[in-house]
Amino acid sequence: MPPPRRSLLCLERYCLAGAPLADWRREAGDGFAVVQPLLRDTNRLARRWSRPGRPAMRIVEHADGRAVAVCDEEVDGPIELSHADRVLRRPCEKRLRTHLCRVLGLHETREPMASLPGVLLIGDWRPEPAVSIQVSIAVASSCDDLGRLILDVRLKAHRPAIVATFTRQHWSSRHESTLADGQVVLVPLEDVLDERDGAWHRLSAWETFVQQALPRTSSASPPIDIEELKAQVRRLKPMEREAIVALAEKSLVGPNSGRLPGQALLAKWAGNYDADATFKAAMSNLVKMGLLDNARHHGTRGGYFLTPRGLEASKLIDQS
C-alpha cells in the first residue's frame, strides 16, 4: 500500500493559513477521509476559489451578503458560494495529537498545547517500563526552518527525543550534524504509515526508526535474581517499603518517567513522614540496594524513581 503522502502533505501545506474544504478534498485525494476529522474551522474566509483542472476564481462579496466566485479568464460562469464553502479550515492540534498517539501507540502528553507550524509535543513512546522517550511533530516551512526546529528540540532535550515530520520534503544533509549524536531521531510519517479503509495504520518501519532513540544502556541491564531480591525485600523497613510502593503507584520507573519527587514530596507520598535525616538515610539505602535511583545521577534535575529491580520489588511487596 503506498504511503499516505497526499494527506500528510496537505497537513503540512495548509497548517498555518488553512484552506477551504474543497481544496482539502481535492489535494488530499483518497486521504481526505482521514484528515477531515482532524480539521477545525478558523475565523477567516477564502478570497480565491478553485476546482480541479479549472482556473482559480476571484471571490466577490456583494452588499447583500452574497459571495460569488468570478473567473477573470471567463472560462467559467459565476458560482455563488455559501459561508461554509469559503471558511478556511486547518489542523486542530488537539485532535491531531490524540489521533497520532492512538495510531503510533504513544502515551499522550498532558503538557500545554503548542500551535503549529512549529513543534508540538504529542506524547511518550515507552518500549520498556524504565524507558520513556518524548515524541513531537514538527511542521516547517523550509529546510532551514526545520533545521532550527530540530536544534531547538536538541538544546532543550535532557534525554533522547523523536521528532516526526509529515513528509521528507524539507529534510536535508545539513541537519546531519544536529542529529549525529542520536539525541534527536527524525522520523518521516510518510515512511511509517499506510492508508487503508479511510484510516492510517502504523507500519513496522516505525519500530525500525524509533529503535535509534533507545538509550544505549537500556538493553544491558543485568538479570534480576528473584531469590536475592526476595531476601532484600524481607529486610526492608516499613518506611522503605512505603516509598517503593508510592513510586510504583505513580508509575515512576526510570529517569524519564515523569515529574520525579524530591525527598520532601516522596516522604509525604510514603506516609507523611518527616523529610529528615532518617528518611534521607532510608532513601540512600534503597539507592545502594539498586531499588531506587535519583535523576541527578543521570545529568538531569534531581528526583527519585524506581529502577527495574525496584519495580520487581514493588510487585513482591504487593504480594506479601
Side-chain angles (χ1 to χ4, degrees), residues 9-75:
L9 198 58
C10 280
L11 288 168
E12 210 160 47
R13 180 184 301 161
Y14 298 143
C15 203
L16 176 60
L21 206 57
D23 287 0
W24 282 99
R25 184 179 286 108
R26 180 184 68 251
E27 297 300 325
D30 293 340
F32 179 70
V34 182
V35 299
Q36 185 179 16
L38 305 179
L39 306 180
R40 67 171 178 83
D41 292 357
T42 70
N43 58 3
R44 299 185 302 277
L45 299 177
R47 297 294 179 181
R48 306 280 289 178
W49 177 257
S50 60
R51 293 179 296 170
R54 312 298 289 179
M57 305 175 76
R58 179 168 49 91
I59 297 176
V60 178
E61 296 180 349
H62 292 264
D64 60 4
R66 292 182 305 118
V68 178
V70 177
C71 180
D72 292 329
E73 299 177 25
E74 299 183 352
V75 174

Side-chain angles (χ1 to χ4, degrees), residues 278-296:
T278 300
F279 187 82
K280 182 177 181 180
M283 297 307 100
S284 178
N285 185 49
L286 291 176
V287 171
K288 290 176 183 177
M289 295 170 68
L291 303 178
L292 262 62
D293 202 350
N294 197 296
R296 69 174 179 271

Side-chain angles (χ1 to χ4, degrees), residues 248-290:
E249 286 177 345
K250 297 183 182 296
S251 301
L252 296 177
V253 183
N256 304 321
S257 51
R259 298 178 188 271
L260 305 178
Q263 183 177 316
L265 183 56
L266 183 55
K268 180 180 179 181
W269 289 355
N272 287 316
Y273 289 103
D274 292 328
D276 54 13
T278 300
F279 187 82
K280 182 177 181 180
M283 297 307 100
S284 178
N285 185 49
L286 291 176
V287 171
K288 290 176 183 177
M289 295 170 68

Side-chain angles (χ1 to χ4, degrees), residues 93 96-97 112-116 118-122 135-138:
E93 284 84 0
L96 181 64
R97 184 170 80 178
M113 196 73 61
S115 298
L116 294 174
V119 176
L120 172 67
L121 178 61
I122 57 175
V135 182
S136 302
I137 183 80

Side-chain angles (χ1 to χ4, degrees), residues 10 31 40 46 52-53 75 79 88 152 198 220 244 292 315 319:
C10 280
R40 67 171 178 83
V75 174
I79 299 175
L88 298 177
D152 187 53
I244 290 171
L292 262 62
K315 296 174 184 177
Q319 295 166 9

Side-chain angles (χ1 to χ4, degrees), residues 173-218:
S173 59
R174 282 179 279 172
H175 304 147
E176 290 176 359
S177 59
T178 309
L179 302 169
D181 64 355
Q183 188 74 4
V184 175
V185 174
L186 208 54
V187 179
L189 292 182
E190 65 176 323
D191 286 6
V192 302
L193 299 177
D194 72 3
E195 213 165 66
R196 301 191 310 270
D197 305 320
W200 288 335
H201 300 270
R202 185 177 72 243
L203 297 169
S204 60
W206 164 257
E207 279 71 22
T208 302
F209 273 100
V210 298
Q211 287 290 325
Q212 301 170 55
L214 281 175
R216 299 297 178 257
T217 58
S218 64

